[in-house]
């Protein structure tokens, strides 16, 4: 079968990526998603092309990919990841004495607060970037049957793409507005149409799909 990406895709997905979506009819076959959708119309409507101007496919970019993940399940997966990495952050900051605040006779050490924020940002960004560069999944996403995919071709996002996605999500979370930013950035997927993207997905041009 042909392994060349469609003209105008602007990138070369890895040849061994099992998550690459099926090119339009007549341009090859073999995607694991063919068994689910075959030649049926895309589940999210036709037409429109790549919303980011990449021109990867002449039809809906989601054609040939699994269904978009439910926002509620995405939120639960994110909570799981928050807890897992949060435990590591707490242990490290406790071990090195950089708790959020160290109050002593009305004195608050903001240097320690900054140290914890920096530790949290590095660990959360590193966790998301490394885990998802391998399979498009963090532990939370894997356990709940979710995966992050490039919108234009369905492949697993690159390290650079995952780094952008993680930085947009976690830098504001760690340094200034944790609860508010998380609610806005991740909660955006509850209202976004047609791709259910969070703000970090929009920055990285990714979507989250269901694997089961």
């Amino acid at each position: 079968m042909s392994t060349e990406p469609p003209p105008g895709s602007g990138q070369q997905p890895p040849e061994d990526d099992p998550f690459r979506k099926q090119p339009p009819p007549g341009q090859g076959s073999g995607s694991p998603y063919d068994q689910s959708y075959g030649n049926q119309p895309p589940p999210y409507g036709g037409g429109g092309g790549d919303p980011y101007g990449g021109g990867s496919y002449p039809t809906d970019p989601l054609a040939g990919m699994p269904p978009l993940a439910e926002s509620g399940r995405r939120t639960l997966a994110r909570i799981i990841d928050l807890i897992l990495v949060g435990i590591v952050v707490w242990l490290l900051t406790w071990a090195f004495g950089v708790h959020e605040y160290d109050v002593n006779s009305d004195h608050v050490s903001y240097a320690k607060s900054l140290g914890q924020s920096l530790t949290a940002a590095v660990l959360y960004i590193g966790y998301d970037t490394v885990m998802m560069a391998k399979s498009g999944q963090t532990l939370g996403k894997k356990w709940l049957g979710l995966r992050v995919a490039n919108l234009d071709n369905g492949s697993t996002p690159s390290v650079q793409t995952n780094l952008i996605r993680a930085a947009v999500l976690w830098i504001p979370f760690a340094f200034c507005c944790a609860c508010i930013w998380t609610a806005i950035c991740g909660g955006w997927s509850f209202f976004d149409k047609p791709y259910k993207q969070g703000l970090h997905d929009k920055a990285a041009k990714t979507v989250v799909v269901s694997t089961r």
Side-chain angles (χ1 to χ4, degrees):
M1 73 173 182
S2 173
T3 58
E4 294 296 323
S9 65
Q11 68 179 90
Q12 298 289 334
E15 295 296 331
D16 59 350
D17 188 342
F19 297 115
R20 284 185 62 189
K21 75 176 182 180
Q22 170 66 16
Q27 295 192 25
S29 61
S31 167
Y33 301 133
D34 288 348
Q35 298 176 3
S36 300
Y37 295 101
N39 294 322
Q40 298 299 315
Y44 304 103
D50 183 350
Y52 299 107
S56 299
Y57 294 92
T59 57
D60 191 318
L62 296 177
M65 279 206 271
L68 291 172
E70 297 175 356
S71 295
R73 196 143 51 106
R74 290 182 58 174
T75 300
L76 183 56
R78 179 61 65 194
I79 291 173
I80 292 173
D81 291 328
L82 274 168
I83 293 173
L84 292 176
V85 181
I87 291 173
V88 178
V89 171
W90 183 84
L91 289 174
L92 286 177
T93 55
W94 176 79
F96 290 99
V98 286
H99 301 294
E100 185 68 24
Y101 293 106
D102 181 18
V103 181
N104 183 13
S105 299
D106 298 326
H107 174 70
V108 179
S109 175
Y110 290 101
K112 292 190 174 183
S113 175
L114 178 61
Q116 186 176 48
S117 296
L118 182 61
T119 301
V122 170
L123 288 179
Y124 278 117
I125 290 174
Y127 171 77
D128 268 22
T129 301
V130 172
M131 292 291 293
M132 292 200 295
K134 294 180 179 180
S135 63
Q137 297 173 302
T138 59
L139 290 176
K141 287 181 172 59
K142 183 176 182 179
W143 293 341
L144 294 182
L146 308 175
R147 184 179 70 83
V148 176
N150 288 320
L151 175 59
D152 61 349
N153 59 21
S155 62
T156 300
S158 66
V159 172
Q160 181 179 0
T161 298
N162 283 314
L163 182 59
I164 293 172
R165 189 177 187 273
V168 170
L169 179 62
W170 294 120
I171 289 179
F173 170 88
F175 288 99
C176 65
C177 43
C179 295
I180 296 175
W181 179 248
T182 303
I184 294 174
C185 190
W188 199 271
S189 67
F190 282 87
F191 309 101
D192 184 72
K193 294 181 179 181
Y195 303 117
K196 295 185 179 180
Q197 292 173 299
L199 296 181
H200 50 313
D201 289 311
K202 289 185 176 297
K205 301 179 183 178
T206 57
V207 290
V208 180
V209 298
S210 176
T211 62
R212 63 188 184 199

